[in-house]
Every structure is written in C-alpha cells, then in structure tokens.
C-alpha cells in the first residue's frame, strides 16, 4: 500500500486541513500519515476562526515520526509562520518523493493566515522543492506578485511566474472567483504549456475544504503512479463530486463530502 504524508493544520470541524487530506488519502486507497502544524478552531458564538500554533519542537518530532519509514508522496498545507515554513523546507531538502505544495495563504471567513514574510519563505524555501503546487486565484496572484487574476491569460501569466520559483507543475484553481458564461469555472494545469479545464460552476455553500481535498487527491494519485496531468484530471473529478455532496456542519459552515466519489456512505451498511 502506498503511503502519503500531509504536513498541515488541523481543522477541528473536519472539513479542511489534514482531516480533509487523510480522508481523501483513504478514499484513494493509500495510507495517510500526518504532522500537525497548527489547530484551526471555530467559535460557535460567531463563526470566527482562530489558529493556534504548535511549537517547532513538536512539529520536528512529528516529522521524524512520519519519515521513520518509506513514503511515496508528500503534501504540505497550512504552514502559518516563517519559522514553520523554514523548518518544513529544511526537513524536505533530502526527500526524493514528489512534493505537492498547497500554499494556504488564507481561508474562508478569515484574515490571511500568513503575512508577506511568510509568502517570501514559500517562494524561496518551499516552492523550489515542490513537484507541483495548487494555489487558488488569490494565492496565485499573491505568489506571482499580481494584483488580481480575472481571465485565462492572467492565469497563464501567474503560472509562468510561479514556475520560475522552481516548481515544474503549477495548478491554479478558478473556483467561484473566475466565472465564464455565468455558469462555468476553469482550472489551469501548467507544465510549460497551459492546459485549461472548464467545468460547471457548482452553486453551493457547502464547499469548505475543497482546496485541501483537491490537492490531497492529486498527491494520492501521484503516489499511486499517475502522471501529473492525469492526477490533476482525477483531482478535478473527485473534488467536484465532493462539492456536489457537501454537508452542512453547523450554522456557519458546510463541508465537502470526501467520500462522495466512491459512495462511501454505503459502506458497512450490513455490519
């Protein structure tokens, strides 16, 4: 069985972060391991999120644990401080596995999780080690030093700039911020050539965790031997199913359902 590591923040409500990663890894038939960088919680009184950091020492011990045996692929998610980014980047320097960097610069209903100094650390320390990265439109614009991304041409420009940091495969998620013909969004896979993937815009509020799930799906597919473009295509299909079957968790947020593609709700019915 292929083994996949996530290095990310923990989402206490279970929709995003390393919870999304581990659920997705299992849906792909891979074994997930995790190193927690921080814990994201929700205030039930107002729906606001807070981020509590884990110490560098605890993170380093977790990394030693997950890398104690052979690994097939690695994904990074929320790395909320420059020190944590640098620590993770240093630990990954000697790794030979494919590394997928999901550059989490912010989250829904939050201020940016990380500031400009941290963005620079992502650009200079982590992205040069990545095999593939999966920013959304906002994250791609920040990483590329652009004010905004509104169309396919600007998506390509951003991908070209991000690729110059040393990452050979760039995926930019259009999401609900890039809408074409009123009912279509588009994702970009860039490997020196732009490959666009238009797909129907899913009108829903239960889409928390979609970005983490998408990056985790790509990582798991790569671990199982898929070529990058095929892994991206698989990730798009898997995440679309997860969004369509989203679940309302509380009055403030609804999450994607990671088991939708494989109809996981039907498992163990006869137990």
């Amino acid at each position: 069985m292929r083994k996949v590591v996530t290095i990310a923040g923990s989402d206490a409500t279970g929709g995003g972060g390393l919870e999304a990663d581990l659920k997705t890894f299992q849906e792909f038939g891979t074994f997930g391991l995790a190193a927690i960088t921080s814990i994201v919680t929700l205030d039930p009184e107002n729906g606001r999120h807070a981020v509590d950091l884990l110490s560098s020492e605890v993170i380093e011990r977790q990394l030693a644990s997950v890398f104690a045996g052979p690994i097939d692929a690695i994904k990074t998610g929320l790395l909320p401080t420059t020190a944590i980014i640098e620590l993770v980047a240093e630990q990954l320097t000697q790794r030979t596995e494919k590394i997928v960097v999901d550059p989490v610069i912010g989250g829904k209903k939050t201020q940016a999780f990380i500031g400009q100094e941290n963005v620079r650390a992502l650009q200079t320390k982590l992205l040069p080690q990545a095999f593939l990265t999966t920013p959304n439109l906002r994250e791609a614009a920040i990483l590329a030093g652009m004010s905004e991304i509104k169309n396919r041409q600007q998506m390509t420009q951003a991908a070209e700039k991000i690729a110059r940091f040393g990452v050979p495969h760039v995926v930019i998620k259009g999401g609900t911020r890039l809408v074409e013909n009123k009912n279509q969004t588009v994702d970009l896979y860039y490997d020196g050539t732009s490959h666009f993937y238009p797909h129907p815009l899913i009108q829903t509020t239960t889409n928390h965790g979609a970005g983490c799930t998408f990056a985790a799906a790509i990582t798991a597919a790569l671990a199982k031997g898929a070529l990058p473009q095929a892994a991206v295509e698989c990730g798009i299909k898997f995440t679309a199913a997860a969004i369509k079957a989203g679940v309302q968790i509380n009055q403030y947020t609804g999450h994607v359902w990671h088991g939708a593609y494989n109809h996981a709700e039907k498992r163990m019915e006869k137990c």
Side-chain angles (χ1 to χ4, degrees):
M1 182 180 292
R2 302 298 174 91
K3 302 175 185 67
V4 190
V5 170
T6 174
I7 307 168
S10 170
D11 178 0
T13 62
L18 68 86
E19 285 79 5
D21 296 344
L22 293 175
K23 293 173 185 179
T24 301
F25 294 164
Q26 186 147 325
E27 289 300 313
F28 272 77
T30 63
F31 192 93
L33 298 86
I36 305 170
T37 63
S38 52
I39 300 173
V40 180
T41 54
L42 178 143
D43 187 335
E45 298 298 324
N46 53 37
R48 294 175 183 169
H49 289 82
V51 181
D52 290 287
L53 308 180
L54 272 70
S55 70
S56 294
E57 292 78 10
V58 171
I59 295 171
E60 192 166 5
R61 291 202 301 272
Q62 292 180 88
L63 293 172
S65 299
V66 299
F67 292 136
I71 295 298
D72 296 289
I74 302 165
K75 173 189 177 290
T76 68
L78 175 59
L79 309 175
T81 69
T82 301
I84 291 174
I85 295 169
E86 292 177 345
L87 168 63
V88 170
E90 181 180 359
Q91 292 288 320
L92 296 181
T93 300
Q94 302 303 318
R95 308 303 307 184
T96 59
E97 302 88 356
K98 290 183 173 65
I99 299 170
V100 173
V101 172
D102 188 16
V104 181
I105 296 174
K108 294 181 179 66
K109 301 180 183 178
T110 69
Q111 298 298 316
F113 282 132
I114 64 176
Q116 186 56 45
E117 182 181 350
N118 308 52
V119 171
R120 186 61 182 161
L122 283 173
Q123 294 168 325
T124 61
K125 303 290 186 180
L126 197 58
L127 285 177
Q129 300 187 61
F131 178 76
L132 185 147
T133 187
T134 60
N136 60 29
L137 283 184
R138 176 176 171 271
E139 293 160 346
I142 291 171
L143 290 170
M146 298 170 63
S147 59
E148 58 185 352
I149 299 172
K150 289 187 173 182
N151 52 51
R152 296 190 184 199
Q153 181 180 4
Q154 291 175 334
M155 289 179 89
T156 294
Q157 291 172 350
E160 290 172 345
K161 292 181 178 182
I162 293 169
R164 291 180 194 142
F165 293 117
V167 51
H169 304 277
V170 179
V171 179
I172 299 179
K173 301 166 286 191
T176 58
R177 288 192 172 104
L178 200 158
V179 180
E180 301 178 326
N181 303 320
K182 296 183 179 180
N183 61 358
Q184 175 180 282
T185 186
V186 63
D187 298 323
L188 167 67
Y189 165 62
Y190 178 84
D191 60 353
T193 301
S194 293
H195 310 269
F196 289 99
Y197 292 92
H199 48 91
L201 181 66
I202 303 170
Q203 297 288 356
T204 180
T205 58
T206 56
N207 59 2
H208 176 78
C212 301
T213 301
F214 181 49
I218 293 173
T219 308
L222 290 172
K224 298 187 77 171
L227 294 175
Q229 190 169 355
V232 172
E233 293 170 357
C234 185
I236 291 172
K237 294 175 184 177
F238 183 88
T239 307
I243 294 172
K244 288 178 182 177
V247 179
Q248 193 68 37
I249 299 299
N250 52 52
Q251 63 177 316
Y252 302 110
T253 186
H255 297 339
V256 300
W257 165 227
H258 308 87
Y261 191 85
N262 294 320
H263 303 288
E265 66 278 2
K266 296 181 180 180
R267 295 174 184 157
M268 304 298 291
E269 287 182 341
K270 297 181 180 180
C271 181

